[in-house]
Amino acid sequence: NAGVTQTPKFQVLKTGQSMTLQCAQDMNHNSMYWYRQDPGMGLRLIYYSASEGTTDKGEVPNGYNVSRLNKREFSLRLESAAPSQTSVYFCASGSGTGVRNSPLHFGNGTRLTVT
Amino acid sequence: AQTVTQSQPEMSVQEAETVTLSCTYDTSESNYYLFWYKQPPSRQMILVIRQEAYKQQNATENRFSVNFQKAAKSFSLKISDSQLGDTAMYFCAFVNFGNEKLTFGTGTRLTIIP
């Protein structure tokens, strides 16, 4: 049982380049989330998808776009990377009863560096 | 806006000792949920314990327990008989009822010393 799988694990981009972070879960969860983790700031929600076909902004959505491709997959796209987007990115999923009732299952993170 | 504050950036204790991690939060809502998540060096985030605000009884999970003080908006985590595998970053988190936006604190790095 793989849980939540994120790719890639590491990525270095130049300013202005674009890339997509991939996330897939095999737990039949309805909700999926993208967080970023920066030193001294904890985790901050970028976007989330409460169910297939829906997406909503989180705390720090600027500079990002998301796609809920199907129930399993939720991708995060950086159209024009900036140094401020250097961070560790986590994908998470949760059952349909919401984050309050079920624990989030996290992937192992993607360390992104923008130079 | 909700905020979660963890005032202890780092802590260390001897193996088998008991340690308490502090967390305070701010909200105007009365119905919400609190969590402690653990992030070991592997970076994987793991739920440790969950507390519902409308329940007065403090949650416990084996060696982990919380002291939930609703009036004081305090939610501390106590780890008893600490083990080397407890070494990790610990994040306090909060979500309002009916909301999906989980707010995390800045974390406490806990080191268990052999």
Side-chain angles (χ1 to χ4, degrees):
Chain A
N1 190 344
V4 179
T5 303
Q6 288 183 238
T7 56
K9 288 185 170 52
F10 301 93
Q11 183 72 49
V12 178
L13 292 177
K14 294 188 189 307
T15 298
Q17 288 186 319
S18 62
M19 79 160 295
T20 299
L21 279 64
Q22 307 286 353
C23 175
Q25 51 92 9
D26 62 2
M27 296 170 284
N28 201 35
H29 283 167
N30 289 320
S31 304
M32 297 186 74
Y33 309 81
W34 276 105
Y35 287 89
R36 60 178 288 174
Q37 182 178 20
D38 302 294
M41 299 193 74
L43 282 83
R44 293 181 292 168
L45 182 64
I46 304 171
Y47 270 94
Y48 68 99
S49 171
S51 62
E52 185 179 354
T54 68
T55 60
D56 284 285
K57 294 179 180 179
E59 184 183 353
V60 288
N62 291 344
Y64 305 94
N65 286 301
V66 290
S67 295
R68 184 73 183 267
L69 304 170
N70 47 55
K71 191 171 185 178
R72 288 187 66 247
E73 298 172 288
F74 188 39
S75 62
L76 178 72
R77 182 159 179 85
L78 287 70
E79 290 291 353
S80 179
S84 61
Q85 294 178 305
T86 293
S87 188
V88 179
Y89 291 84
F90 286 93
C91 178
S93 71
S95 73
T97 54
V99 68
R100 66 187 182 278
N101 287 326
S102 60
L104 292 185
H105 294 259
F106 284 80
N108 286 333
T110 296
R111 183 176 294 278
L112 174 67
T113 302
V114 183
T115 60
Chain B
Q2 288 76 35
T3 58
V4 178
T5 302
Q6 294 180 250
S7 59
Q8 304 151 312
E10 295 189 25
M11 296 184 72
S12 59
V13 295
Q14 293 290 139
E15 190 176 5
E17 288 185 348
T18 295
V19 61
T20 299
L21 281 59
S22 302
C23 173
T24 58
Y25 58 93
D26 187 25
T27 182
S28 57
E29 304 292 329
S30 60
N31 199 2
Y32 50 86
Y33 300 80
L34 295 157
F35 309 84
W36 278 98
Y37 276 87
K38 168 185 176 181
Q39 186 181 40
S42 65
R43 278 199 330 223
Q44 177 67 269
M45 293 283 286
I46 304 163
L47 179 66
V48 175
I49 202 163
R50 169 179 172 272
Q51 175 79 43
E52 299 161 6
Y54 64 87
K55 288 188 176 179
Q56 292 188 346
Q57 186 173 6
N58 289 325
T60 62
E61 288 287 343
N62 300 314
R63 296 183 295 109
F64 299 88
S65 61
V66 298
N67 183 4
F68 173 48
Q69 302 288 329
K70 191 171 184 179
K73 296 181 181 175
S74 170
F75 183 61
S76 60
L77 174 69
K78 185 171 83 170
I79 305 174
S80 303
D81 186 26
S82 57
Q83 300 174 357
L84 297 179
D86 295 333
T87 292
M89 280 286 285
Y90 286 81
F91 292 96
C92 180
F94 166 100
V95 68
N96 276 322
F97 181 84
N99 198 316
E100 287 299 301
K101 298 181 181 179
L102 193 60
T103 300
F104 285 85
T106 53
T108 295
R109 185 176 301 281
L110 176 65
T111 302
I112 308 302
I113 304 166

PDB file of all heavy atoms in Angstrom, chain B residues 50-83:
ATOM      1  N   ARG B  50      -5.616  13.701  18.338  1.00  0.00           N
ATOM      2  CA  ARG B  50      -6.655  14.623  17.884  1.00  0.00           C
ATOM      3  C   ARG B  50      -7.597  14.925  19.045  1.00  0.00           C
ATOM      4  O   ARG B  50      -7.918  14.040  19.839  1.00  0.00           O
ATOM      5  CB  ARG B  50      -7.420  13.961  16.735  1.00  0.00           C
ATOM      6  CG  ARG B  50      -8.684  14.619  16.278  1.00  0.00           C
ATOM      7  CD  ARG B  50      -9.261  13.808  15.118  1.00  0.00           C
ATOM      8  NE  ARG B  50     -10.593  14.269  14.745  1.00  0.00           N
ATOM      9  CZ  ARG B  50     -11.721  13.835  15.284  1.00  0.00           C
ATOM     10  NH1 ARG B  50     -11.687  12.907  16.222  1.00  0.00           N
ATOM     11  NH2 ARG B  50     -12.876  14.300  14.881  1.00  0.00           N
ATOM     12  N   GLN B  51      -8.039  16.185  19.138  1.00  0.00           N
ATOM     13  CA  GLN B  51      -8.949  16.609  20.205  1.00  0.00           C
ATOM     14  C   GLN B  51     -10.096  17.413  19.612  1.00  0.00           C
ATOM     15  O   GLN B  51      -9.868  18.328  18.824  1.00  0.00           O
ATOM     16  CB  GLN B  51      -8.189  17.480  21.216  1.00  0.00           C
ATOM     17  CG  GLN B  51      -9.037  18.084  22.316  1.00  0.00           C
ATOM     18  CD  GLN B  51      -9.352  17.095  23.425  1.00  0.00           C
ATOM     19  OE1 GLN B  51      -8.493  16.341  23.863  1.00  0.00           O
ATOM     20  NE2 GLN B  51     -10.584  17.117  23.919  1.00  0.00           N
ATOM     21  N   GLU B  52     -11.307  17.079  20.001  1.00  0.00           N
ATOM     22  CA  GLU B  52     -12.469  17.844  19.586  1.00  0.00           C
ATOM     23  C   GLU B  52     -12.791  18.871  20.666  1.00  0.00           C
ATOM     24  O   GLU B  52     -12.864  18.521  21.842  1.00  0.00           O
ATOM     25  CB  GLU B  52     -13.657  16.909  19.358  1.00  0.00           C
ATOM     26  CG  GLU B  52     -13.392  15.894  18.269  1.00  0.00           C
ATOM     27  CD  GLU B  52     -14.329  14.705  18.332  1.00  0.00           C
ATOM     28  OE1 GLU B  52     -15.256  14.709  19.155  1.00  0.00           O
ATOM     29  OE2 GLU B  52     -14.117  13.766  17.547  1.00  0.00           O
ATOM     30  N   ALA B  53     -12.997  20.105  20.287  1.00  0.00           N
ATOM     31  CA  ALA B  53     -13.157  21.183  21.263  1.00  0.00           C
ATOM     32  C   ALA B  53     -14.368  21.012  22.163  1.00  0.00           C
ATOM     33  O   ALA B  53     -14.374  21.488  23.300  1.00  0.00           O
ATOM     34  CB  ALA B  53     -13.229  22.527  20.548  1.00  0.00           C
ATOM     35  N   TYR B  54     -15.404  20.342  21.675  1.00  0.00           N
ATOM     36  CA  TYR B  54     -16.607  20.205  22.488  1.00  0.00           C
ATOM     37  C   TYR B  54     -16.486  19.081  23.521  1.00  0.00           C
ATOM     38  O   TYR B  54     -17.354  18.921  24.364  1.00  0.00           O
ATOM     39  CB  TYR B  54     -17.833  19.992  21.613  1.00  0.00           C
ATOM     40  CG  TYR B  54     -17.830  18.715  20.796  1.00  0.00           C
ATOM     41  CD1 TYR B  54     -18.304  17.520  21.337  1.00  0.00           C
ATOM     42  CD2 TYR B  54     -17.375  18.701  19.497  1.00  0.00           C
ATOM     43  CE1 TYR B  54     -18.311  16.353  20.595  1.00  0.00           C
ATOM     44  CE2 TYR B  54     -17.371  17.543  18.750  1.00  0.00           C
ATOM     45  CZ  TYR B  54     -17.837  16.366  19.302  1.00  0.00           C
ATOM     46  OH  TYR B  54     -17.841  15.211  18.561  1.00  0.00           O
ATOM     47  N   LYS B  55     -15.402  18.318  23.436  1.00  0.00           N
ATOM     48  CA  LYS B  55     -15.176  17.255  24.421  1.00  0.00           C
ATOM     49  C   LYS B  55     -14.270  17.775  25.525  1.00  0.00           C
ATOM     50  O   LYS B  55     -13.165  18.250  25.259  1.00  0.00           O
ATOM     51  CB  LYS B  55     -14.538  16.037  23.755  1.00  0.00           C
ATOM     52  CG  LYS B  55     -15.490  15.262  22.866  1.00  0.00           C
ATOM     53  CD  LYS B  55     -14.857  13.973  22.387  1.00  0.00           C
ATOM     54  CE  LYS B  55     -15.839  13.145  21.571  1.00  0.00           C
ATOM     55  NZ  LYS B  55     -15.232  11.883  21.068  1.00  0.00           N
ATOM     56  N   GLN B  56     -14.719  17.682  26.752  1.00  0.00           N
ATOM     57  CA  GLN B  56     -13.904  18.157  27.862  1.00  0.00           C
ATOM     58  C   GLN B  56     -12.793  17.177  28.212  1.00  0.00           C
ATOM     59  O   GLN B  56     -11.743  17.571  28.717  1.00  0.00           O
ATOM     60  CB  GLN B  56     -14.785  18.407  29.081  1.00  0.00           C
ATOM     61  CG  GLN B  56     -15.746  19.573  28.907  1.00  0.00           C
ATOM     62  CD  GLN B  56     -16.469  19.922  30.184  1.00  0.00           C
ATOM     63  OE1 GLN B  56     -16.458  19.150  31.134  1.00  0.00           O
ATOM     64  NE2 GLN B  56     -17.106  21.069  30.204  1.00  0.00           N
ATOM     65  N   GLN B  57     -13.025  15.906  27.925  1.00  0.00           N
ATOM     66  CA  GLN B  57     -12.027  14.896  28.281  1.00  0.00           C
ATOM     67  C   GLN B  57     -10.813  15.010  27.375  1.00  0.00           C
ATOM     68  O   GLN B  57     -10.929  15.106  26.151  1.00  0.00           O
ATOM     69  CB  GLN B  57     -12.629  13.498  28.159  1.00  0.00           C
ATOM     70  CG  GLN B  57     -11.716  12.388  28.636  1.00  0.00           C
ATOM     71  CD  GLN B  57     -12.407  11.028  28.647  1.00  0.00           C
ATOM     72  OE1 GLN B  57     -13.548  10.908  28.196  1.00  0.00           O
ATOM     73  NE2 GLN B  57     -11.723  10.041  29.166  1.00  0.00           N
ATOM     74  N   ASN B  58      -9.649  14.978  27.992  1.00  0.00           N
ATOM     75  CA  ASN B  58      -8.407  15.062  27.234  1.00  0.00           C
ATOM     76  C   ASN B  58      -8.151  13.772  26.474  1.00  0.00           C
ATOM     77  O   ASN B  58      -8.312  12.666  27.002  1.00  0.00           O
ATOM     78  CB  ASN B  58      -7.231  15.330  28.171  1.00  0.00           C
ATOM     79  CG  ASN B  58      -7.257  16.740  28.731  1.00  0.00           C
ATOM     80  OD1 ASN B  58      -7.668  17.676  28.044  1.00  0.00           O
ATOM     81  ND2 ASN B  58      -6.831  16.891  29.961  1.00  0.00           N
ATOM     82  N   ALA B  59      -7.727  13.915  25.217  1.00  0.00           N
ATOM     83  CA  ALA B  59      -7.430  12.741  24.392  1.00  0.00           C
ATOM     84  C   ALA B  59      -6.130  12.073  24.829  1.00  0.00           C
ATOM     85  O   ALA B  59      -5.199  12.741  25.299  1.00  0.00           O
ATOM     86  CB  ALA B  59      -7.320  13.157  22.922  1.00  0.00           C
ATOM     87  N   THR B  60      -6.088  10.763  24.690  1.00  0.00           N
ATOM     88  CA  THR B  60      -4.862  10.006  24.968  1.00  0.00           C
ATOM     89  C   THR B  60      -4.679   8.949  23.884  1.00  0.00           C
ATOM     90  O   THR B  60      -5.664   8.407  23.367  1.00  0.00           O
ATOM     91  CB  THR B  60      -4.913   9.306  26.342  1.00  0.00           C
ATOM     92  OG1 THR B  60      -5.996   8.366  26.327  1.00  0.00           O
ATOM     93  CG2 THR B  60      -5.119  10.292  27.465  1.00  0.00           C
ATOM     94  N   GLU B  61      -3.421   8.686  23.561  1.00  0.00           N
ATOM     95  CA  GLU B  61      -3.047   7.630  22.613  1.00  0.00           C
ATOM     96  C   GLU B  61      -1.758   7.005  23.128  1.00  0.00           C
ATOM     97  O   GLU B  61      -0.670   7.498  22.885  1.00  0.00           O
ATOM     98  CB  GLU B  61      -2.828   8.194  21.198  1.00  0.00           C
ATOM     99  CG  GLU B  61      -4.055   8.613  20.460  1.00  0.00           C
ATOM    100  CD  GLU B  61      -4.899   7.444  19.978  1.00  0.00           C
ATOM    101  OE1 GLU B  61      -4.388   6.303  19.923  1.00  0.00           O
ATOM    102  OE2 GLU B  61      -6.073   7.676  19.666  1.00  0.00           O
ATOM    103  N   ASN B  62      -1.923   5.925  23.871  1.00  0.00           N
ATOM    104  CA  ASN B  62      -0.761   5.219  24.421  1.00  0.00           C
ATOM    105  C   ASN B  62       0.097   6.176  25.269  1.00  0.00           C
ATOM    106  O   ASN B  62      -0.379   6.707  26.275  1.00  0.00           O
ATOM    107  CB  ASN B  62       0.046   4.575  23.300  1.00  0.00           C
ATOM    108  CG  ASN B  62      -0.774   3.583  22.512  1.00  0.00           C
ATOM    109  OD1 ASN B  62      -1.487   2.755  23.081  1.00  0.00           O
ATOM    110  ND2 ASN B  62      -0.725   3.672  21.183  1.00  0.00           N
ATOM    111  N   ARG B  63       1.332   6.437  24.864  1.00  0.00           N
ATOM    112  CA  ARG B  63       2.216   7.296  25.679  1.00  0.00           C
ATOM    113  C   ARG B  63       1.959   8.788  25.472  1.00  0.00           C
ATOM    114  O   ARG B  63       2.587   9.618  26.129  1.00  0.00           O
ATOM    115  CB  ARG B  63       3.669   6.982  25.319  1.00  0.00           C
ATOM    116  CG  ARG B  63       4.106   5.566  25.645  1.00  0.00           C
ATOM    117  CD  ARG B  63       5.596   5.370  25.322  1.00  0.00           C
ATOM    118  NE  ARG B  63       5.870   5.490  23.887  1.00  0.00           N
ATOM    119  CZ  ARG B  63       6.509   6.512  23.331  1.00  0.00           C
ATOM    120  NH1 ARG B  63       6.934   7.517  24.087  1.00  0.00           N
ATOM    121  NH2 ARG B  63       6.722   6.537  22.026  1.00  0.00           N
ATOM    122  N   PHE B  64       1.066   9.118  24.557  1.00  0.00           N
ATOM    123  CA  PHE B  64       0.806  10.507  24.211  1.00  0.00           C
ATOM    124  C   PHE B  64      -0.535  10.955  24.805  1.00  0.00           C
ATOM    125  O   PHE B  64      -1.537  10.254  24.677  1.00  0.00           O
ATOM    126  CB  PHE B  64       0.771  10.675  22.689  1.00  0.00           C
ATOM    127  CG  PHE B  64       2.063  10.321  22.013  1.00  0.00           C
ATOM    128  CD1 PHE B  64       2.321   9.018  21.609  1.00  0.00           C
ATOM    129  CD2 PHE B  64       3.020  11.290  21.774  1.00  0.00           C
ATOM    130  CE1 PHE B  64       3.517   8.685  20.995  1.00  0.00           C
ATOM    131  CE2 PHE B  64       4.215  10.974  21.146  1.00  0.00           C
ATOM    132  CZ  PHE B  64       4.471   9.665  20.756  1.00  0.00           C
ATOM    133  N   SER B  65      -0.523  12.106  25.436  1.00  0.00           N
ATOM    134  CA  SER B  65      -1.759  12.666  25.974  1.00  0.00           C
ATOM    135  C   SER B  65      -1.720  14.181  25.828  1.00  0.00           C
ATOM    136  O   SER B  65      -0.652  14.767  25.624  1.00  0.00           O
ATOM    137  CB  SER B  65      -1.948  12.269  27.438  1.00  0.00           C
ATOM    138  OG  SER B  65      -0.877  12.762  28.233  1.00  0.00           O
ATOM    139  N   VAL B  66      -2.891  14.783  25.887  1.00  0.00           N
ATOM    140  CA  VAL B  66      -2.949  16.237  25.764  1.00  0.00           C
ATOM    141  C   VAL B  66      -3.562  16.827  27.017  1.00  0.00           C
ATOM    142  O   VAL B  66      -4.293  16.174  27.759  1.00  0.00           O
ATOM    143  CB  VAL B  66      -3.761  16.679  24.523  1.00  0.00           C
ATOM    144  CG1 VAL B  66      -3.099  16.174  23.252  1.00  0.00           C
ATOM    145  CG2 VAL B  66      -5.213  16.255  24.624  1.00  0.00           C
ATOM    146  N   ASN B  67      -3.229  18.094  27.237  1.00  0.00           N
ATOM    147  CA  ASN B  67      -3.877  18.905  28.266  1.00  0.00           C
ATOM    148  C   ASN B  67      -4.582  20.033  27.518  1.00  0.00           C
ATOM    149  O   ASN B  67      -3.942  20.990  27.078  1.00  0.00           O
ATOM    150  CB  ASN B  67      -2.856  19.440  29.255  1.00  0.00           C
ATOM    151  CG  ASN B  67      -3.520  20.224  30.377  1.00  0.00           C
ATOM    152  OD1 ASN B  67      -4.753  20.317  30.462  1.00  0.00           O
ATOM    153  ND2 ASN B  67      -2.727  20.790  31.254  1.00  0.00           N
ATOM    154  N   PHE B  68      -5.886  19.883  27.340  1.00  0.00           N
ATOM    155  CA  PHE B  68      -6.682  20.831  26.572  1.00  0.00           C
ATOM    156  C   PHE B  68      -7.379  21.776  27.537  1.00  0.00           C
ATOM    157  O   PHE B  68      -8.207  21.347  28.351  1.00  0.00           O
ATOM    158  CB  PHE B  68      -7.698  20.074  25.716  1.00  0.00           C
ATOM    159  CG  PHE B  68      -8.686  20.942  25.004  1.00  0.00           C
ATOM    160  CD1 PHE B  68      -8.268  22.054  24.286  1.00  0.00           C
ATOM    161  CD2 PHE B  68     -10.039  20.641  25.036  1.00  0.00           C
ATOM    162  CE1 PHE B  68      -9.176  22.854  23.623  1.00  0.00           C
ATOM    163  CE2 PHE B  68     -10.964  21.437  24.368  1.00  0.00           C
ATOM    164  CZ  PHE B  68     -10.530  22.548  23.656  1.00  0.00           C
ATOM    165  N   GLN B  69      -7.025  23.032  27.465  1.00  0.00           N
ATOM    166  CA  GLN B  69      -7.625  24.070  28.308  1.00  0.00           C
ATOM    167  C   GLN B  69      -8.340  25.051  27.381  1.00  0.00           C
ATOM    168  O   GLN B  69      -7.715  25.974  26.838  1.00  0.00           O
ATOM    169  CB  GLN B  69      -6.542  24.786  29.129  1.00  0.00           C
ATOM    170  CG  GLN B  69      -5.732  23.888  30.028  1.00  0.00           C
ATOM    171  CD  GLN B  69      -6.538  23.396  31.215  1.00  0.00           C
ATOM    172  OE1 GLN B  69      -7.427  24.075  31.704  1.00  0.00           O
ATOM    173  NE2 GLN B  69      -6.236  22.184  31.656  1.00  0.00           N
ATOM    174  N   LYS B  70      -9.647  24.840  27.184  1.00  0.00           N
ATOM    175  CA  LYS B  70     -10.378  25.618  26.180  1.00  0.00           C
ATOM    176  C   LYS B  70     -10.424  27.105  26.518  1.00  0.00           C
ATOM    177  O   LYS B  70     -10.252  27.950  25.646  1.00  0.00           O
ATOM    178  CB  LYS B  70     -11.803  25.072  26.018  1.00  0.00           C
ATOM    179  CG  LYS B  70     -12.538  25.645  24.817  1.00  0.00           C
ATOM    180  CD  LYS B  70     -13.837  24.931  24.571  1.00  0.00           C
ATOM    181  CE  LYS B  70     -14.519  25.453  23.299  1.00  0.00           C
ATOM    182  NZ  LYS B  70     -15.798  24.742  23.018  1.00  0.00           N
ATOM    183  N   ALA B  71     -10.656  27.429  27.775  1.00  0.00           N
ATOM    184  CA  ALA B  71     -10.753  28.837  28.153  1.00  0.00           C
ATOM    185  C   ALA B  71      -9.429  29.562  27.926  1.00  0.00           C
ATOM    186  O   ALA B  71      -9.401  30.713  27.491  1.00  0.00           O
ATOM    187  CB  ALA B  71     -11.175  28.965  29.611  1.00  0.00           C
ATOM    188  N   ALA B  72      -8.350  28.871  28.192  1.00  0.00           N
ATOM    189  CA  ALA B  72      -7.023  29.456  28.015  1.00  0.00           C
ATOM    190  C   ALA B  72      -6.523  29.313  26.591  1.00  0.00           C
ATOM    191  O   ALA B  72      -5.463  29.839  26.241  1.00  0.00           O
ATOM    192  CB  ALA B  72      -6.035  28.810  28.980  1.00  0.00           C
ATOM    193  N   LYS B  73      -7.260  28.588  25.745  1.00  0.00           N
ATOM    194  CA  LYS B  73      -6.863  28.297  24.363  1.00  0.00           C
ATOM    195  C   LYS B  73      -5.463  27.702  24.334  1.00  0.00           C
ATOM    196  O   LYS B  73      -4.562  28.169  23.624  1.00  0.00           O
ATOM    197  CB  LYS B  73      -6.968  29.561  23.506  1.00  0.00           C
ATOM    198  CG  LYS B  73      -8.403  30.047  23.391  1.00  0.00           C
ATOM    199  CD  LYS B  73      -8.535  31.295  22.524  1.00  0.00           C
ATOM    200  CE  LYS B  73     -10.002  31.721  22.485  1.00  0.00           C
ATOM    201  NZ  LYS B  73     -10.194  32.991  21.757  1.00  0.00           N
ATOM    202  N   SER B  74      -5.320  26.652  25.124  1.00  0.00           N
ATOM    203  CA  SER B  74      -4.043  25.971  25.247  1.00  0.00           C
ATOM    204  C   SER B  74      -4.226  24.485  24.953  1.00  0.00           C
ATOM    205  O   SER B  74      -5.223  23.875  25.356  1.00  0.00           O
ATOM    206  CB  SER B  74      -3.498  26.174  26.660  1.00  0.00           C
ATOM    207  OG  SER B  74      -2.385  25.364  26.908  1.00  0.00           O
ATOM    208  N   PHE B  75      -3.245  23.900  24.285  1.00  0.00           N
ATOM    209  CA  PHE B  75      -3.344  22.493  23.849  1.00  0.00           C
ATOM    210  C   PHE B  75      -1.944  21.900  23.883  1.00  0.00           C
ATOM    211  O   PHE B  75      -1.248  21.865  22.871  1.00  0.00           O
ATOM    212  CB  PHE B  75      -3.932  22.465  22.436  1.00  0.00           C
ATOM    213  CG  PHE B  75      -4.154  21.090  21.873  1.00  0.00           C
ATOM    214  CD1 PHE B  75      -5.007  20.193  22.487  1.00  0.00           C
ATOM    215  CD2 PHE B  75      -3.529  20.703  20.690  1.00  0.00           C
ATOM    216  CE1 PHE B  75      -5.224  18.937  21.954  1.00  0.00           C
ATOM    217  CE2 PHE B  75      -3.734  19.439  20.149  1.00  0.00           C
ATOM    218  CZ  PHE B  75      -4.582  18.563  20.782  1.00  0.00           C
ATOM    219  N   SER B  76      -1.514  21.419  25.033  1.00  0.00           N
ATOM    220  CA  SER B  76      -0.155  20.899  25.163  1.00  0.00           C
ATOM    221  C   SER B  76      -0.138  19.384  24.981  1.00  0.00           C
ATOM    222  O   SER B  76      -1.116  18.702  25.268  1.00  0.00           O
ATOM    223  CB  SER B  76       0.457  21.291  26.506  1.00  0.00           C
ATOM    224  OG  SER B  76      -0.330  20.768  27.565  1.00  0.00           O
ATOM    225  N   LEU B  77       0.992  18.894  24.523  1.00  0.00           N
ATOM    226  CA  LEU B  77       1.197  17.460  24.277  1.00  0.00           C
ATOM    227  C   LEU B  77       2.194  16.921  25.284  1.00  0.00           C
ATOM    228  O   LEU B  77       3.292  17.460  25.415  1.00  0.00           O
ATOM    229  CB  LEU B  77       1.735  17.222  22.869  1.00  0.00           C
ATOM    230  CG  LEU B  77       2.122  15.788  22.518  1.00  0.00           C
ATOM    231  CD1 LEU B  77       0.874  14.906  22.432  1.00  0.00           C
ATOM    232  CD2 LEU B  77       2.913  15.741  21.212  1.00  0.00           C
ATOM    233  N   LYS B  78       1.807  15.855  25.993  1.00  0.00           N
ATOM    234  CA  LYS B  78       2.707  15.209  26.932  1.00  0.00           C
ATOM    235  C   LYS B  78       3.112  13.846  26.374  1.00  0.00           C
ATOM    236  O   LYS B  78       2.248  13.050  25.976  1.00  0.00           O
ATOM    237  CB  LYS B  78       2.056  15.023  28.301  1.00  0.00           C
ATOM    238  CG  LYS B  78       3.018  14.461  29.345  1.00  0.00           C
ATOM    239  CD  LYS B  78       2.428  14.477  30.748  1.00  0.00           C
ATOM    240  CE  LYS B  78       1.552  13.279  31.013  1.00  0.00           C
ATOM    241  NZ  LYS B  78       1.182  13.188  32.459  1.00  0.00           N
ATOM    242  N   ILE B  79       4.424  13.634  26.341  1.00  0.00           N
ATOM    243  CA  ILE B  79       4.957  12.343  25.899  1.00  0.00           C
ATOM    244  C   ILE B  79       5.581  11.679  27.123  1.00  0.00           C
ATOM    245  O   ILE B  79       6.538  12.210  27.705  1.00  0.00           O
ATOM    246  CB  ILE B  79       6.005  12.514  24.785  1.00  0.00           C
ATOM    247  CG1 ILE B  79       5.419  13.328  23.620  1.00  0.00           C
ATOM    248  CG2 ILE B  79       6.488  11.146  24.302  1.00  0.00           C
ATOM    249  CD1 ILE B  79       6.437  13.659  22.540  1.00  0.00           C
ATOM    250  N   SER B  80       5.044  10.561  27.498  1.00  0.00           N
ATOM    251  CA  SER B  80       5.553   9.825  28.657  1.00  0.00           C
ATOM    252  C   SER B  80       6.533   8.749  28.210  1.00  0.00           C
ATOM    253  O   SER B  80       6.431   8.238  27.088  1.00  0.00           O
ATOM    254  CB  SER B  80       4.394   9.179  29.414  1.00  0.00           C
ATOM    255  OG  SER B  80       3.450  10.140  29.819  1.00  0.00           O
ATOM    256  N   ASP B  81       7.473   8.413  29.105  1.00  0.00           N
ATOM    257  CA  ASP B  81       8.431   7.348  28.794  1.00  0.00           C
ATOM    258  C   ASP B  81       9.008   7.539  27.393  1.00  0.00           C
ATOM    259  O   ASP B  81       8.927   6.666  26.525  1.00  0.00           O
ATOM    260  CB  ASP B  81       7.741   5.986  28.913  1.00  0.00           C
ATOM    261  CG  ASP B  81       8.683   4.817  28.743  1.00  0.00           C
ATOM    262  OD1 ASP B  81       9.891   4.976  29.024  1.00  0.00           O
ATOM    263  OD2 ASP B  81       8.232   3.743  28.291  1.00  0.00           O
ATOM    264  N   SER B  82       9.598   8.684  27.163  1.00  0.00           N
ATOM    265  CA  SER B  82      10.044   9.041  25.816  1.00  0.00           C
ATOM    266  C   SER B  82      11.035   8.015  25.267  1.00  0.00           C
ATOM    267  O   SER B  82      11.853   7.442  26.005  1.00  0.00           O
ATOM    268  CB  SER B  82      10.660  10.439  25.817  1.00  0.00           C
ATOM    269  OG  SER B  82      11.723  10.507  26.729  1.00  0.00           O
ATOM    270  N   GLN B  83      10.938   7.811  23.956  1.00  0.00           N
ATOM    271  CA  GLN B  83      11.785   6.841  23.263  1.00  0.00           C
ATOM    272  C   GLN B  83      12.573   7.540  22.160  1.00  0.00           C
ATOM    273  O   GLN B  83      12.188   8.609  21.693  1.00  0.00           O
ATOM    274  CB  GLN B  83      10.902   5.739  22.668  1.00  0.00           C
ATOM    275  CG  GLN B  83      10.089   4.996  23.706  1.00  0.00           C
ATOM    276  CD  GLN B  83       9.116   4.001  23.102  1.00  0.00           C
ATOM    277  OE1 GLN B  83       8.992   3.879  21.884  1.00  0.00           O
ATOM    278  NE2 GLN B  83       8.398   3.284  23.966  1.00  0.00           N
TER     279      GLN B  83
END
